[in-house]
Amino acid sequence: SLRKQRANGAAAQRMDLLEGVRLHLNLAVTARRMYQQDCEEARGNKTSCSVLSWYYATKVKVPCFQYETQQGYQAAIHDMDYNVFGIVDEGATTKRQTNVVYKEGRKTNADVVISLVHFYLTELNTNAGHADKLTLWMDSCSGQNRNQFIVQYLYTRVLHGLHKEIHVKYMV
């Protein structure tokens, strides 16, 4: 009957969906294990190995309060959008995340990411900036992280002898 065929089709679709979720979960667990292994390696070889992870959040809503009026105090609350770039050296003994927060309106493309990563490597973190092996963990946003410009920047760092090898890994 038609009703039975539809029920079987819906059940098959649910099974396919469930299999996709299981596959994604297995990939996420595998990526997490790789990430933990990289971090442990960096903690053991502080001078020759470094693991950085970063994330770029755009349009983060931050409440803005305005109080002054001529008649007295009056609160006006509205949201302002900010961009937040956070980076952390996972191999450091004391993990410290460095955040750059700026008001939205500027671009959030690869140029900005390269500038922020370069500033971090050259000015803020001397170990990661000169580690023989540098491993980078980031999300797979094509506009900010997963593009030719990031790869070219990292390749240039290797060509100039700042690192012997750089591994780029994306979170699932």
Side-chain angles (χ1 to χ4, degrees):
S1 81
L2 185 59
R3 191 177 267 175
K4 200 177 222 182
Q5 287 176 346
R6 284 185 183 166
N8 288 340
Q13 283 180 338
R14 284 192 298 271
M15 292 304 290
D16 288 344
L17 182 62
L18 183 60
E19 187 59 33
V21 169
R22 284 185 185 140
L23 177 62
H24 179 78
L25 182 60
N26 287 338
L27 288 172
V29 167
T30 302
R32 182 69 181 169
R33 283 189 193 125
M34 290 172 53
Y35 170 75
Q36 289 170 338
Q37 288 171 350
D38 287 343
C39 292
E40 286 183 32
E41 179 186 1
R43 284 186 205 107
N45 297 322
K46 289 184 180 52
T47 57
S48 65
C49 181
S50 188
V51 176
L52 299 179
S53 61
W54 74 65
Y55 186 75
Y56 205 145
T58 58
K59 297 185 180 180
V60 176
K61 301 283 187 194
V62 177
C64 179
F65 302 98
Q66 294 178 343
Y67 286 103
E68 283 187 45
T69 62
Q70 288 182 344
Q71 289 81 21
Y73 289 100
Q74 180 180 4
I77 302 173
H78 62 279
D79 289 338
M80 297 187 72
D81 290 340
Y82 286 88
N83 296 325
V84 180
F85 179 82
I87 188 167
V88 63
D89 186 345
E90 301 290 356
T93 51
T94 56
K95 283 190 192 178
R96 187 181 80 214
Q97 181 170 330
T98 303
N99 293 314
V100 176
V101 180
Y102 62 92
K103 196 171 178 182
E104 197 192 55
R106 294 183 174 165
K107 294 180 181 181
T108 57
N109 57 17
D111 293 340
V112 175
V113 172
I114 291 169
S115 296
L116 294 171
V117 170
H118 182 74
F119 179 76
Y120 182 81
L121 290 173
T122 57
E123 302 295 328
L124 299 179
N125 192 317
T126 56
N127 181 42
H130 298 289
D132 290 339
K133 179 182 176 185
L134 180 62
T135 303
L136 304 171
W137 281 89
M138 61 190 88
D139 66 347
S140 62
C141 176
S142 60
Q144 296 163 357
N145 298 329
R146 196 173 184 167
N147 58 58
Q148 65 179 342
F149 305 109
I150 297 288
V151 172
Q152 288 172 356
Y153 168 72
L154 298 173
Y155 183 66
T156 303
R157 291 189 66 85
V158 173
L159 283 178
H160 285 101
L162 298 172
H163 310 283
K164 289 183 180 174
E165 55 187 86
I166 296 177
H167 299 263
V168 178
K169 300 180 180 183
Y170 298 100
M171 298 173 207
V172 176

